[in-house]
Amino acid sequence: MTPTPAPRSQLAELARYFLRLGFLGFGGPVALVGQMERELVDGKKWLTKAEMKEAIAICQSLPGPLAIQVGIYVSWLRGGFWGAWVGGWCFILPNFVIVASLGALYVYLGDLQPVTAIFYGVSPAVIALILHSCYRLAKLGMEDWLQWAIAAVCLAVTVILQAEVALLFIGAGIVGIVYYGNLFKRSPAILPGIAIVPAAAGPIAPVASASTLSKLLLFFLKAGSLTFGSGLVIVPFLEQGLVQQYGWLDERQFLIAVAIGMISPGPVVITATFVGYLVAGFWGSLVSTIGIFLPSFLLVLIVAPLLARHRGNANVQGFVKGAYAAAIGTILGACILLGKIAIGDWLTALIGMVSLAILFRWKVSNPLLIAATAVVGLIAYPWLQPSWVMVH
């Protein structure tokens, strides 16, 4: 597939479509990709069904948020190089505006009891949402004993050592190449296809220094290159960097940031925007957003065309399978670490268990579940006043 030229009318058309999709894009990456397929293949006829399937397959094999990358790739096919930049950033812009606004509200209102009460109820529901998403990811891509062994090792390392996630992914990918690939075999392994689904501040806004902004940019550039398998993979990576390494957030603030990322219309990695605002105000949110999404543009524009030619290579597939298993392990490890923060009494334990049961029993949207648990928190918190909730 080759991109078409991009006249101004075509760029404007891309901008309008992806701005609308960004504002209304609830339901997660699978729902967003399905919506794009219905509207762009059956409706607008921008590309054929075969082209859309290949776009999804290629983006599934790349680290990064699936829906955003499919949007960038489709924009590249429709409008070339500039089309990719226009469509991609218009897709991201509504998410940035919403989450940066929520960051500003939290900075100025985060010390109020109603805000604390809301996140008292929401935090255990976030743990349930992560566990349920991890279960769905495991059903989609975990196929044999080696992948489960890799996942178990990564889970243990994440919980016990809280080690650098990048090393886990690289190591797991190498193991996948050795086992599934053909570097040491005469004939390539035949592998079934797998699906990778992306996968309290004080009352005064923080001041952005050049040093802090540069650290945020570098940190999120790295994070944006490592969200392999699901956007949820960013959770253990961010927890290690933001809480342990830099000390920019405490653990409860971090959990709130994850909650914001899960209830906003964009991918989970939009958490970076909220974190950036808490650390360095508006400019911090802007730098963090650019950092987390820029790797997706580079991967789609540089790596995707190459991957389209070599996607069937056994070694490429082997790395993907190993990295996918590492994603499952690190997400489960993050659930354990964050669960210790989110669940501190009988009511939060009950909220978490009921939320998980609801997610397995019915198809409930993330915003609806978060709204319901927020109401529970608002009602229960004034009566319980749990001492373990840290108000900042």
Side-chain angles (χ1 to χ4, degrees):
M1 294 184 290
T2 56
T4 58
R8 287 187 178 182
S9 60
Q10 217 164 56
L11 294 179
E13 190 178 31
L14 284 168
R16 285 193 298 271
Y17 175 77
F18 281 105
L19 280 171
R20 182 182 66 83
L21 186 64
F23 271 115
L24 304 175
F26 289 95
V30 176
L32 280 172
V33 170
Q35 183 177 342
M36 278 189 272
E37 184 170 13
R38 290 192 304 273
E39 294 177 349
L40 301 183
V41 175
D42 300 331
K44 294 181 178 295
K45 308 293 184 183
W46 282 3
L47 63 167
T48 66
K49 192 172 287 289
E51 287 175 331
M52 188 66 182
K53 286 182 178 179
E54 183 169 352
I56 295 169
I58 289 171
C59 293
Q60 282 176 334
S61 302
L62 296 170
L66 176 64
I68 294 293
Q69 289 184 325
V70 170
I72 296 170
Y73 195 89
V74 167
S75 299
W76 176 69
L77 291 176
R78 178 70 176 169
F81 177 84
W82 293 113
W85 289 98
V86 169
W89 286 116
C90 284
F91 197 178
I92 294 164
L93 179 61
N95 307 325
F96 168 78
V97 172
I98 292 169
V99 176
S101 300
L102 291 173
L105 287 174
Y106 180 73
V107 164
Y108 290 102
L109 302 178
D111 57 342
L112 298 181
Q113 180 171 299
V115 177
T116 304
I118 287 172
F119 287 108
Y120 168 77
V122 164
S123 295
V126 170
I127 302 300
L129 285 166
I130 297 175
L131 281 172
H132 184 252
S133 298
C134 191
Y135 168 77
R136 292 170 58 192
L137 290 170
K139 285 184 64 178
L140 285 170
M142 299 295 281
E143 298 174 359
D144 57 29
W145 69 270
L146 180 61
Q147 283 188 294
W148 283 111
I150 291 172
V153 170
C154 291
L155 187 156
V157 171
T158 301
V159 172
I160 297 172
L161 302 179
Q162 300 178 2
E164 180 65 46
V165 176
L167 297 179
L168 295 179
F169 277 73
I170 294 171
I174 292 172
V175 171
I177 291 174
V178 171
Y179 186 81
Y180 300 108
N182 58 9
L183 288 178
F184 305 102
K185 300 175 184 178
R186 288 179 177 272
S187 58
I190 299 176
L191 303 175
I194 66 173
I196 300 179
V197 184
I204 300 176
V207 178
S209 67
S211 174
T212 300
L213 291 177
S214 62
K215 287 179 181 178
L216 278 170
L217 179 62
L218 291 174
F219 177 78
F220 282 110
L221 281 171
K222 185 178 180 183
S225 304
L226 297 173
T227 54
F228 207 109
S230 164
L232 289 173
V233 176
I234 200 176
V235 172
F237 182 88
L238 293 186
E239 196 273 340
Q240 183 196 25
L242 299 173
V243 178
Q244 300 174 37
Q245 181 180 353
Y246 291 108
W248 283 331
L249 305 179
D250 62 36
E251 290 173 321
R252 182 150 297 281
Q253 288 173 324
F254 174 71
L255 196 59
I256 290 170
V258 175
I260 294 297
M262 296 193 76
I263 65 175
S264 62
V268 178
V269 296
I270 201 67
T271 295
T273 302
F274 188 83
V275 169
Y277 200 100
L278 266 60
V279 174
F282 171 79
W283 293 111
S285 67
L286 181 62
V287 164
S288 300
T289 304
I290 292 172
I292 201 69
F293 287 112
L294 184 58
S296 293
F297 285 87
L298 300 179
L299 286 167
V300 169
L301 292 174
I302 298 172
V303 179
L306 298 175
L307 192 59
R309 294 196 293 267
H310 301 289
R311 188 162 49 88
N313 183 280
N315 298 312
V316 173
Q317 293 186 9
F319 184 91
V320 169
K321 287 172 73 73
Y324 193 98
I328 298 298
T330 54
I331 293 170
L332 288 174
C335 276
I336 294 173
L337 296 174
L338 294 173
K340 296 177 181 179
I341 309 302
I343 300 172
D345 60 9
W346 67 269
L347 181 56
T348 47
L350 181 62
I351 292 172
M353 289 187 292
V354 171
S355 297
L356 196 59
I358 290 173
L359 288 168
F360 276 101
R361 181 65 178 86
W362 296 288
K363 291 183 178 180
V364 179
S365 66
N366 290 3
L368 180 60
L369 180 63
I370 293 296
T373 54
V375 171
V376 173
L378 282 170
I379 295 172
Y381 182 81
W383 295 94
L384 295 176
Q385 288 291 322
S387 59
W388 64 276
V389 176
M390 296 173 289
V391 182
H392 296 277

